[in-house]
Amino acid sequence: MSKITSRLLNWYQENKRTLPWRDHPDPYAVWVSEIMLQQTRVDTIIGYFQRWMEKFPSIEDLAAADEQDVLNLWEGLGYYSRARNLHKAAKLLLAEYGAQLPEDTKTLMKLPGIGRYTAAAVSSMAFGHDAAALDGNIRRVYARVFNVEEPLGTKDAENILWALAEDILPKGEAGDYNQALMDLGSAICTPRSPSCEKCPIKQDCEAYQLDIQEMRPVRKTKKAVPHHIHAGAVIVDEGKVLLAQRPQKGLLGGMWEFPNGRVEENPVKELASLIWEGYQVKIKVGNPIGEIDHAYTHFKVTEHVFLCELIQLSQKENLRWANLKELDDYPMGKIDREIAKRLQTSALSN
DNA sequence: CAAGCGTGGGC
DNA sequence: TGCCCAAGCTT
């Protein structure tokens, strides 16, 4: 075992955080936590993880769940395909794997939502196999320790970093070692202003020795995010409000929303035809309720919301009339949950 | 294989 | 405030 790995493992023993899924004998819990942690911080998922394990304690429970209940529990976490994939995979495991997670990375990667990183994480942490993991933290740590100059995400950088991960991995300690690297990355070797003085491997770190740690990893330049204008319709009829379910694929797949869409310039003028074309619903546009700003990863939105009256409804597929009190039962993205809350609040004060 | 996919926090 | 980023995967 190299000096680097033994220093990291020693540091981990002294500094590892106690987390709900750590030192947990249940591979299912490790799997769920790893999916939740994809592109998501530890602090964010703690509550979600505990509610999830309470409601779906096992693969069998998850496989038997309703998709809407699964999405409701996931609401607010984002990347909702993760929840749908967990659900799909649980059904698959029950049908074809005896309700047990496979232990090897190759079989794990056949499950929806499990890629190279997550397969290695589950195999090493839940089953103790020698699987090298590479996530955002580990990429950053290795890019600094070995002064990798290829921009992150390029084929060259990926080849170099995965090869490093495989080469350095200490046999028999992969689970702790992978977690040690990730804890180091989140606590010490941070993207900006890393705490190099506290780092257990600073004497091994090429970037630190050259004092260029903040120049590593090299990043590719990013594109500007567009800003779109949306118009949304709160359509009320006989005390109920009209909701639409989004398609399974794409943005907020399977979630519910107030009928809305992108407009070019004038939300008031364009809204009625927009709703008609998008949902086959004819409306009369009334008073504005408010504006909501939201930043997605790849674009920003300002949504103008209007109270509207129903004139004609030409299809019922994917549409539903909901009581204001029942809006919490419908999984929604952030914008539509905000609209729902405003409606419930104003209805309460009336 | 580049683009799409959410949201919250830090600075 | 605006921007960057975060335990990635899918198509």
Side-chain angles (χ1 to χ4, degrees):
Chain A
M1 193 181 304
S2 74
K3 282 181 185 172
I4 291 182
T5 57
S6 58
R7 281 171 182 147
L8 280 169
L9 285 166
N10 289 336
W11 175 85
Y12 182 63
Q13 286 310 314
E14 298 299 318
N15 295 281
K16 73 172 172 182
R17 291 172 291 179
T18 52
L19 298 171
W21 52 89
R22 258 185 196 167
D23 304 318
H24 204 299
D26 183 5
Y28 169 69
V30 175
W31 172 41
V32 170
S33 73
E34 285 303 330
I35 301 296
M36 287 188 171
L37 284 163
Q38 288 170 3
Q39 301 288 283
T40 310
R41 295 170 187 284
V42 169
D43 293 343
T44 304
I45 79 155
I46 298 282
Y48 285 91
F49 177 80
Q50 285 165 342
R51 288 191 292 276
W52 183 283
M53 294 305 290
E54 210 165 298
K55 185 141 187 176
F56 313 122
S58 71
I59 291 171
E60 290 91 333
D61 295 310
L62 179 56
D66 284 339
E67 178 105 335
Q68 291 294 299
D69 291 334
V70 171
L71 286 175
N72 254 321
L73 221 152
W74 204 271
E75 183 180 312
L77 259 188
Y79 288 141
Y80 297 93
S81 66
R82 293 183 294 172
R84 296 196 302 275
N85 282 336
L86 267 172
H87 192 210
K88 270 187 217 165
K91 292 182 185 176
L92 200 63
L93 289 171
L94 186 60
E96 299 183 17
Y97 294 81
Q100 300 290 316
L101 276 164
E103 300 194 10
D104 64 291
T105 57
K106 192 178 173 186
T107 315
L108 281 164
M109 283 180 68
K110 292 179 179 174
L111 297 170
I114 297 187
R116 190 170 177 184
Y117 162 76
T118 305
V122 171
S123 186
S124 65
M125 297 174 199
F127 297 111
H129 294 304
D130 292 327
L134 191 65
D135 76 323
N137 285 309
I138 304 176
R139 285 186 176 86
R140 184 172 60 255
V141 172
Y142 281 167
R144 287 173 177 164
V145 172
F146 300 102
N147 192 19
V148 175
E149 299 185 11
E150 287 77 4
L152 227 54
T154 62
K155 190 73 181 173
D156 284 347
E158 284 300 286
N159 289 339
I160 292 168
L161 290 166
W162 275 107
L164 284 169
E166 306 275 2
D167 288 347
I168 299 167
L169 188 76
K171 305 299 179 196
E173 311 255 25
D176 278 355
Y177 180 72
N178 288 333
Q179 294 181 83
L181 279 171
M182 291 189 283
D183 272 20
L184 186 83
S186 80
I188 307 280
C189 195
T190 51
R192 280 171 296 187
S193 307
S195 306
C196 295
E197 323 74 44
K198 301 179 188 170
C199 181
I201 55 171
K202 60 172 178 281
Q203 63 269 54
D204 308 296
C205 180
E206 293 182 28
Y208 174 71
Q209 299 299 332
L210 297 168
D211 197 25
I212 56 170
Q213 56 272 41
E214 298 217 53
M215 312 284 288
R216 299 290 178 273
V218 177
R219 303 253 180 204
K220 289 193 288 190
T221 57
K222 292 184 179 177
K223 296 178 180 175
V225 299
H227 189 165
H228 297 153
I229 303 173
H230 279 213
V234 171
I235 303 165
V236 177
D237 190 52
E238 297 181 355
K240 296 190 174 185
V241 60
L242 191 64
L243 294 180
Q245 188 174 29
R246 299 177 60 87
Q248 286 296 115
K249 292 192 180 281
L251 185 72
L252 301 170
M255 310 286 277
W256 293 82
E257 66 182 5
F258 297 92
N260 75 91
R262 183 178 169 187
V263 299
E264 293 303 324
E265 296 210 355
N266 191 325
V268 187
K269 286 186 177 175
E270 299 175 43
L271 180 56
S273 58
L274 178 78
I275 299 303
W276 171 243
E277 287 162 18
Y279 303 87
Q280 281 80 58
V281 178
K282 284 186 185 171
I283 58 169
K284 178 173 184 286
V285 178
N287 293 330
I289 296 176
E291 292 176 21
I292 296 172
D293 288 312
H294 184 60
Y296 294 97
T297 304
H298 296 285
F299 61 100
K300 297 180 185 176
V301 170
T302 297
E303 180 159 328
H304 301 252
V305 187
F306 297 85
L307 191 60
C308 302
E309 282 177 36
L310 178 73
I311 296 177
Q312 183 192 336
L313 188 149
S314 298
Q315 61 104 11
K316 289 186 176 176
E317 199 179 348
N318 298 335
L319 296 180
R320 198 159 310 167
W321 292 102
N323 291 317
L324 285 184
K325 289 181 180 177
E326 297 172 347
L327 289 177
D328 290 347
D329 298 338
Y330 294 85
M332 296 178 184
K334 202 186 169 197
I335 290 177
D336 294 281
R337 180 56 65 207
E338 174 63 23
I339 296 171
K341 281 181 185 166
R342 291 187 190 182
L343 289 178
Q344 291 171 319
T345 304
S346 65
L348 214 65
S349 60
N350 287 347

